[in-house]
Amino acid sequence: MPAIAVIGAQWGDEAKGKIVHFLCRRADLCVRFNGGPNAGHTVVDAHGEARLHQVPAGALHPHCLGVLAHGVVLDLWALEAELAELAGQGRPPPRLLLSERAHLILPYHRRREEREGAAQALGTTRKGIGPAYADRAARRGLRLVDLFHPERVEERLRAEDGEEAAQVLAELLRLRDRFSPAVGDARAALAHALRAGQTVVFEGAQGTLLDLDWGTYPYVTSSPTTVHGIPWGTGVRVEFAAVVGVAKAYTTRVGAGPLPTEERGAVGERLRESGREYGATTGRPRRCGWLDLVALRYACAINGFTHLALTKLDVLSGFSELKVAVAYRWGGRRREDFPSSADELFHAEPVYETLPGWGEGIAGVRDFSALPKAAQRYVRFVEEFVGVPVALVGTGARTEDVIVRAEILGYT
Ligand code: IMP
């Protein structure tokens, strides 16, 4: 069965890039459907470490076509720079298909983001994501297809960029010409591929708790990050063979907003250092804490995950005990549900269960039975609590550092 969704189950940075790259070893298409260059998907393979922002992670495999569907917001300048960086690593140029309906991020979007204060108040990635999606909804956005009819583009640029408009337009037309062989009807191509039985991996960006509607609003990104973003952002109706939620074995978040299990002291510091928890897009230190199973169970409910990938389990090696949040306490009561209000979540105190840790390093382990008993128990506790099997366990940065516990895509 050919369609697989890979969705962040926390606040982003769950190591989706690695999981997508792994699953795309036999995929024909890898599709980004939401977000833009705010994403930072890291892949470590034979060529070294690639930090991807717009290029779909699967497209690092020469056999896999990378699709940027119409739900993404596209920064052509950033895409050009990203491709140059990949070429600098000696990689073959990824094959790409860019939806002509995708909205463009323009220099004035980044300026507006600073001016309106969202960058500071929410701790955004400063890539112009919010303003670009806002223009789209307000029906004043510019799409890739508009570059082939430049009169309207010129008019918009004159209104936004004043004297710089001519220069921005000239650059946009150069970028249009450079990318025009890759521009097309992504929906039709995708529908055709699915009909033909090709294997398609949908690569979510950010995570469920940053979703515009299901996340910790207003501390969220401006697009749907859940599985529901796939029909929204691609225009195809998909029967998924698997909906894989990717969750880190602990919790991180960048930017502002509630994070009930945050550890501000030595535990947080240790997770940050051993997990190299610095933003792939902005370099900011990530806020770190224990695994939040209330939040994870909520993400499972929103997305209907059929499988989980639990990543970076190796980072937990060496803790004598490990905590996992199994409920919250707020308003003087124990609560099992994930609140809709960020204000309530700011006041939620985690109720922890303590599990035994393990001393052994487990980096690169590929066999579940080779994990220390306490690590096996940790994984089993997670899947039993949320009711979704952990099919993949990440034990290191490289694509092959993964334990496969169930058949997904026929991998064994
Ligand atoms: P924006 O997407 O740049 O508007 O940022 C909104 C919020 O989402 C901020 O808290 C960002 O730190 C967060 N965010 C956006 N993209 C990512 C990502 O790929 N990983 C983690 N956090 C992200």
Side-chain angles (χ1 to χ4, degrees):
M1 285 290 287
I4 293 180
V6 180
I7 302 292
Q10 296 161 317
W11 279 277
D13 306 318
E14 300 96 346
K16 292 179 293 296
K18 170 200 162 120
I19 298 297
V20 167
H21 190 242
F22 176 80
L23 292 173
C24 284
R25 291 191 301 177
R26 291 184 212 161
D28 301 295
L29 279 79
C30 179
V31 184
R32 279 278 308 269
F33 56 88
N34 78 301
N38 50 348
H41 294 177
T42 305
V43 172
V44 182
D45 64 4
H47 290 277
E49 179 174 301
R51 290 197 173 183
L52 303 169
H53 302 291
Q54 297 186 91
V55 173
L60 293 187
H61 298 292
H63 61 262
C64 185
L65 176 69
V67 180
L68 292 168
H70 76 275
V72 304
V73 280
L74 202 56
D75 184 330
L76 294 176
W77 286 269
L79 183 60
E80 183 174 55
E82 187 173 329
L83 291 171
E85 203 172 309
L86 294 174
Q89 293 185 324
R91 295 174 186 275
R95 289 191 299 127
L96 294 177
L97 171 58
L98 314 180
S99 168
E100 56 203 7
R101 289 172 184 260
H103 278 253
L104 298 172
I105 302 179
L106 294 158
Y108 57 77
H109 290 127
R110 283 191 297 273
R111 284 204 303 271
R112 200 188 302 159
E113 187 168 20
E114 299 299 326
R115 205 172 54 236
E116 290 176 348
Q120 295 78 10
L122 302 180
T124 69
T125 59
R126 305 182 124 106
K127 302 290 177 194
I129 304 294
Y133 277 120
D135 275 3
R136 172 186 194 257
R139 294 156 296 179
R140 55 172 184 241
L142 293 174
R143 302 180 301 168
L144 203 41
V145 69
D146 296 325
L147 296 180
F148 297 90
H149 309 277
E151 308 75 31
R152 206 170 80 79
V153 179
E154 204 174 345
E155 201 177 297
R156 284 290 304 143
L157 292 176
R158 251 194 265 117
E160 295 279 355
D161 287 330
E163 287 178 3
E164 285 167 31
Q167 191 202 332
V168 178
L169 180 66
E171 284 178 42
L172 273 174
L173 295 182
R174 177 186 68 77
L175 288 162
R176 174 198 70 184
D177 293 343
R178 174 183 169 173
F179 286 114
S180 68
V183 176
D185 185 343
R187 185 210 59 80
L190 187 52
H192 178 78
L194 288 165
R195 261 199 316 275
Q198 295 195 320
T199 298
V200 181
V201 173
F202 294 87
E203 177 181 7
Q206 296 83 47
T208 297
L209 304 174
L210 289 170
D211 182 271
L212 182 58
D213 290 305
W214 300 107
T216 52
Y217 193 87
Y219 304 97
V220 293
T221 192
S222 300
S223 72
T225 62
T226 68
V227 72
H228 311 299
I230 295 174
W232 169 90
T234 63
V236 292
R237 191 177 69 85
V238 187
E239 303 289 342
F240 294 105
V243 181
V244 182
V246 187
K248 219 154 12 188
Y250 48 98
T251 302
T252 65
R253 168 166 208 164
V254 262
L259 187 63
T261 61
E262 182 167 15
E263 286 286 323
R264 292 199 171 82
V267 169
E269 191 56 35
R270 181 160 161 192
L271 289 171
R272 185 172 310 113
E273 291 314 311
S274 21
R276 296 204 297 148
E277 296 296 351
Y278 294 88
T281 299
T282 58
R284 290 179 291 177
R286 297 181 183 139
R287 301 157 63 194
C288 298
W290 299 116
L291 183 59
D292 185 339
L293 290 178
V294 183
L296 184 57
R297 186 172 53 194
Y298 169 77
C300 292
I302 298 289
N303 291 284
F305 293 140
T306 57
H307 304 77
L308 285 177
L310 193 67
T311 59
K312 299 183 94 165
L313 188 67
D314 53 305
V315 174
L316 294 183
S317 288
F319 282 98
S320 57
E321 46 186 40
L322 300 166
K323 293 186 189 175
V324 290
V326 295
Y328 299 138
R329 197 171 293 287
W330 102 85
R333 281 199 299 141
R334 182 186 163 104
R335 307 287 295 255
E336 314 283 336
D337 56 318
F338 191 79
S340 304
S341 154
D343 295 322
E344 289 173 11
L345 200 56
F346 271 122
H347 293 108
E349 296 268 333
V351 176
Y352 285 117
E353 181 115 358
T354 302
L355 301 175
W358 58 91
E360 305 91 314
I362 57 169
V365 169
R366 291 190 207 167
D367 181 0
F368 192 70
S369 63
L371 287 177
K373 286 283 172 295
Q376 295 185 21
R377 182 165 166 211
Y378 188 85
V379 174
R380 290 210 174 94
F381 189 93
V382 171
E383 60 189 3
E384 277 161 25
F385 187 93
V386 301
V388 178
V390 173
L392 303 170
V393 181
T395 55
R398 293 172 308 169
T399 295
E400 65 265 31
D401 296 333
V402 68
I403 296 169
V404 182
R405 291 182 68 217
E407 271 211 354
I408 295 180
L409 255 190
Y411 286 106
T412 51

